[in-house]
């Protein structure tokens, strides 16, 4: 096994169990290693630190598989890590029996570069790093063993694969497509999941709890759901007894799926749902001109800041939509506002929303802090990554 020897002082992040080693921390590679190969990581005094997947093309030069320098990274290793991730979720009561469930949340489950989402009897995997790609067979076999699922679809088409020098890879790894669409039941609402054509692995499972909360807030309310994608929030609002639900997305196909999802739920009052294909920034300005007001507004945009270097522009975009959101609320109205930008931490996000409320001329308070669901854990030592953060804000 090749050895990756760090620059002096650069072992500190490994002591804190941060799973990434940036190119600038690496002193030298002794021996030969191809992309994805496992290397031994040593401090510059040659103290062993663990084993990592080597990524020569990426600025994240290596990702630790293990901080135990004696642990072999082999089929058995992936079997243990995958089984542990699946078992971890069964401990949490709200996750038991969910038809849609994130099984592996990458670094936060000790498996950098590995995402796995279960939708019914199908598991969708996304492999985003050279190391994860190298071990695909072991990871898939471990998923089959841990879940009993015989249908595995790969959605390794995320942009970050490019940074690893990997091509995109999609298709059935086990089993094949069925005629009838795949769907999940989420808190009483049926939602179709297009694993091949949908965003990410097909659906945004991390918002499950927040969609349920919206349902609980919606009785008798006029709800505006911005960036609605396939209508997950919208349908929960209808199920919760909303007076009206207006949903906006710029994606035509997402709205087609959203309407189809509504049709999958004949128990919901379809006449209270309205869909609009538009740019949210423009639509909110138009509502303002028309003097439209809402009781509850959801703002769940795509990530505006993929990394810290985009934070300034992204902050401006978050502020703009949140100013508009605050202005469009009736007195006492609620804003459910989110960011999934890795480059924007919770503290900064709160400041942006505070500034937005101020500019909108509204007194506002946080009534609840919102996060991703429990199957999207965030490792304590790992604050990077596009974890979801949100605030429920009430305006006067
Ligand atoms: N809230 C959704 C997930 C939102 S994903 C859920 O719970 O499932 C973000 C969505 O924003 C995508 O569907 C994308 O098509 C849409 N989008 C991106 N930019 C947009 C814009 N400027 N205006 C409207 N929609 C936009």
């Amino acid at each position: 096994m090749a050895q990756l020897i760090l620059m002096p002082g650069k072992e500190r992040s490994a002591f804190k169990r941060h799973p990434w080693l940036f190119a600038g921390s690496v002193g030298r590679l002794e021996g030969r290693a191809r992309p994805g190969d496992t290397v031994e990581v040593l401090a510059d005094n040659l103290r062993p630190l663990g084993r990592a997947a080597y990524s020569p093309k990426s600025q994240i030069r290596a990702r630790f598989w293990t901080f135990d320098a004696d642990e072999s990274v082999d089929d058995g290793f992936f079997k243990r890590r995958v089984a542990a991730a699946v078992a971890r979720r069964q401990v949490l009561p709200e996750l038991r029996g969910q038809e849609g469930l994130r099984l592996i949340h990458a670094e936060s489950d000790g498996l950098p570069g590995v995402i796995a989402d279960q939708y019914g009897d199908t598991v969708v995997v996304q492999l985003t790093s050279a190391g994860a790609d190298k071990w695909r067979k072991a990871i898939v076999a471990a998923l089959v063993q841990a879940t009993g699922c015989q249908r595995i679809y790969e959605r390794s088409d995320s942009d970050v694969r490019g940074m690893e020098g990997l091509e995109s890879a999609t298709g059935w790894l086990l089993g094949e497509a069925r005629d009838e669409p795949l769907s999940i039941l989420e808190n009483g609402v049926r939602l179709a999941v297009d694993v091949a054509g949908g965003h990410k692995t097909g659906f945004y499972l991390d918002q499950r709890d927040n969609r349920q909360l919206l349902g609980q807030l919606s009785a008798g309310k006029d709800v505006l759901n911005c960036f609605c994608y396939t209508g997950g929030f919208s349908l929960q609002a209808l199920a919760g007894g909303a007076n009206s639900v207006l949903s906006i997305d710029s994606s035509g196909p997402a709205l087609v799926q959203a309407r189809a999802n509504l049709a999958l739920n004949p128990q919901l009052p379809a006449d209270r749902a309205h869909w609009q294909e538009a740019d949210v920034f423009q639509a909110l300005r138009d509502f303002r001109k028309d003097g439209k007001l809402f009781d509850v507004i959801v703002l769940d945009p795509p990530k505006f800041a993929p990394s810290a270097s985009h934070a300034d522009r992204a902050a401006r975009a978050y502020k703009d939509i949140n100013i508009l959101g605050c202005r469009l609320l009736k007195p006492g109205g609620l804003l459910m506002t989110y960011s999934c930008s890795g480059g924007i931490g919770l503290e900064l996000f709160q400041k942006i929303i505070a500034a937005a409320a101020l500019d909108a001329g509204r007194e506002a308070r946080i009534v609840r802090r919102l996060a991703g669901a429990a199957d999207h854990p965030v490792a304590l030592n790992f604050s990077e990554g596009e974890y979801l953060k949100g605030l429920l804000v009430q305006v006067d």
Side-chain angles (χ1 to χ4, degrees), residues 157 201 258:
D157 55 356
T201 67

Side-chain angles (χ1 to χ4, degrees), residues 320-373:
D320 283 347
I321 50 168
N322 281 281
I323 293 173
L324 290 161
C326 287
R327 286 191 170 140
L328 292 171
L329 281 169
K330 296 180 199 169
L334 292 165
L335 181 69
M336 288 186 111
T337 183
Y338 299 94
S339 164
C340 57
S341 292
I344 296 201
L346 181 57
E347 224 175 302
L348 175 56
F349 187 59
Q350 184 174 325
K351 281 189 185 145
I352 294 168
I353 306 308
L358 194 66
D359 278 23
R362 303 296 289 261
E363 287 280 332
R365 59 201 53 75
I366 297 167
V367 291
R368 203 178 287 186
R369 286 169 206 281
L370 306 170

